[in-house]
Amino acid sequence: MTSINTSDPGFLPHLFRLEYARMTAVLFRHFGLQHIEIAEDIVSETFLKAAETWNTNGVPENPSAWLYTVAKNKAKDYLKRHHLFETKIRHAVAPDETQAAQEFDFSQQTIADSQLAMIFAVCNPANSTEAQICLALQILCGFSVEEMADAFLAKTETVKKRLQRARATLREDNFRIQQPDAATIQSRLDTVLRTLYLLFNEGYYSQSGNHLIRKDLCSEAMRLALILTENPLTATTQAHALLALMCFQSSRFEARSSATGDTILFEQQDQELWNKELIARGNYYLVQACSGDTLSKYQLEAGIAWWHTVPSDPQKWEHILQLYNELILIEYSPMTALNRTFAYARVYGNRAGIEEATQLQLEGNSYYHALLGYLYAATDVPAAVAHYTRAIRLTKSAAEKKTLSGEISRLQGLQH
């Protein structure tokens, strides 16, 4: 089990985040997705009992083991009190699984297998991308509706309705919570990788001002990606590349914002704040990702992220631009085009970058105007201020508004 500081005031919420997904995955395996609420209720009751008991008697020596024991007993008590198992669940499982269903095995192998199966169950192509992300956050990561609403800058009712529709699809899917077979992996792995990629991006590029939620989103996406790389059936080059990308990006998390919440541009970041351990882990997974014959967007983005961890290299931006040129051919997106334009300007100069950017015609994109503001800043202050002002009107991020306003003040100060 992961070591936890029990004296930390945030100990129980952290333990909940850590163990919720493990416990529910095992219980889902026995109750089935048709009875998803039963498993969640048992886990919730387990943590409620922990909060009450530990507040009086203190935290046990092995809190995780204590939780698994209580959850196991509550699940057995539930089956004794209700006829659900005899009338519905017993007929829904194979005869050789019935005895296992009563044992509620919380071994590390069962937890790992159950979590892997839940990842593939949640990433159901029948649901929208937004619904898959919400389900992943709630079922796989233990996020509340309120936390998701904060992360997405959405109303809680909107998130609730999205979850209700997605859960209905999940219950109707009849997906078996067991070790996925090769056919299931092949049919859903792209969806799984995309969901984890978007889940990470929701944290890394989140416009929410809640720093803790943003970090938790990234951490949970990395935890789920790690599960993929640790199973021989899902440890593909794409999965390794995705985890490498996450490691490289997360390594700069602490350097991306100041103590007052201001966004710090890449070139102004304190490299001493970069997490060297995460960069090293990213290097390891990137090497694993380069062992196959296929080239995906994840390999290319991981390569770009790796170059950003290289402090100084005379051809750094040429390499980054070349990777962006390949990436934009594989999968075009406005953000990829804007990032490529920045690299283009670093290679060929700001004037060439402005010409390249204006061809994109992304007038309704805040990042487009922020980029043009940056590129104009050295030669045409009025134009730079105009674009920064437009970006402020378009963005929903309070931190970004503050950063852009600071740039405007800095440029106007230089004119006086």
Side-chain angles (χ1 to χ4, degrees), residues 8 13 26 55 70 79 86 94 96 99 147 174 177 182 198 238 245 272 291 312 320 352-353 356 402 412:
D8 186 341
V26 172
N55 186 52
V70 172
L79 295 180
E86 292 297 332
D96 61 339
Q99 182 62 34
E147 287 175 320
N174 293 321
I177 307 302
L198 294 174
Q238 290 93 333
L245 170 63
E272 292 300 315
S291 60
S312 59
I320 291 175
E356 194 78 3
K402 185 177 180 181
Q412 290 175 336

Side-chain angles (χ1 to χ4, degrees), residues 306-307 310 312-322 347:
W306 175 81
W307 274 108
V310 178
S312 59
D313 185 293
Q315 295 183 309
K316 172 178 178 174
W317 288 103
E318 284 88 343
H319 289 297
I320 291 175
L321 178 58
Q322 181 56 42
V347 175

Side-chain angles (χ1 to χ4, degrees), residues 376-397:
Y376 272 116
T379 57
D380 190 340
V381 171
V385 170
H387 282 290
Y388 279 143
T389 302
R390 177 70 171 150
I392 290 172
R393 288 200 295 266
L394 289 170
T395 185
K396 296 179 181 179
S397 170

Side-chain angles (χ1 to χ4, degrees), residues 288-305:
Q288 306 305 309
C290 296
S291 60
D293 298 327
T294 60
L295 182 65
S296 70
K297 61 174 285 183
Y298 304 116
Q299 276 106 331
L300 292 170
E301 289 198 34
I304 291 168

Side-chain angles (χ1 to χ4, degrees), residues 177-374:
I177 307 302
Q178 57 191 19
Q179 184 80 350
D181 55 32
T184 300
I185 289 172
Q186 184 175 3
S187 66
R188 291 199 179 188
L189 185 55
D190 285 346
T191 302
V192 168
L193 292 173
R194 187 188 73 239
T195 300
L196 298 188
Y197 173 81
L198 294 174
L199 175 56
F200 181 86
N201 283 350
E202 285 292 347
Y204 196 74
Y205 299 107
S206 174
Q207 298 196 17
S208 165
N210 190 326
H211 189 73
L212 181 60
I213 293 296
R214 291 168 57 203
K215 289 187 68 174
D216 275 358
L217 286 171
C218 292
S219 296
E220 287 301 312
M222 291 177 70
R223 180 181 67 81
L224 297 173
L226 182 61
I227 292 174
L228 296 182
T229 63
E230 290 181 338
N231 189 291
L233 294 174
T234 54
T236 63
T237 55
Q238 290 93 333
H240 279 102
L242 177 59
L243 187 52
L245 170 63
M246 292 176 176
C247 288
F248 290 137
Q249 297 286 61
S250 295
S251 71
R252 300 194 302 274
F253 209 108
E254 298 300 331
R256 292 176 68 226
S257 59
S258 67
T260 57
D262 294 328
T263 300
I264 301 176
L265 299 177
F266 173 76
E267 294 172 316
Q268 299 168 352
Q269 291 176 10
D270 180 359
Q271 295 184 14
E272 292 300 315
L273 295 178
W274 293 359
N275 189 314
K276 305 301 189 297
E277 181 181 349
L278 278 175
I279 293 174
R281 289 179 62 187
N283 289 337
Y284 169 79
Y285 291 118
L286 184 57
V287 170
Q288 306 305 309
C290 296
S291 60
D293 298 327
T294 60
L295 182 65
S296 70
K297 61 174 285 183
Y298 304 116
Q299 276 106 331
L300 292 170
E301 289 198 34
I304 291 168
W306 175 81
W307 274 108
H308 278 82
T309 68
V310 178
S312 59
D313 185 293
Q315 295 183 309
K316 172 178 178 174
W317 288 103
E318 284 88 343
H319 289 297
I320 291 175
L321 178 58
Q322 181 56 42
L323 290 170
Y324 270 123
N325 288 339
E326 295 183 54
L327 178 60
I328 212 163
L329 292 175
I330 290 179
E331 184 175 300
Y332 176 88
S333 73
M335 186 56 67
T336 299
L338 288 170
N339 288 335
R340 177 194 169 275
T341 302
F342 179 82
Y344 188 89
R346 292 303 305 267
V347 175
Y348 297 108
N350 284 13
R351 183 178 296 278
I354 291 170
E355 293 177 2
E356 194 78 3
T358 52
Q359 293 180 31
L360 300 176
Q361 298 182 339
L362 298 171
E363 292 296 330
N365 188 304
S366 65
Y367 296 110
Y368 169 77
H369 291 284
L371 174 60
L372 282 171
Y374 172 83

Side-chain angles (χ1 to χ4, degrees), residues 38-52:
I38 297 173
E40 291 176 320
D41 287 346
I42 290 172
V43 175
S44 296
E45 290 172 9
T46 298
F47 275 93
L48 179 61
K49 183 176 179 63
E52 295 172 345

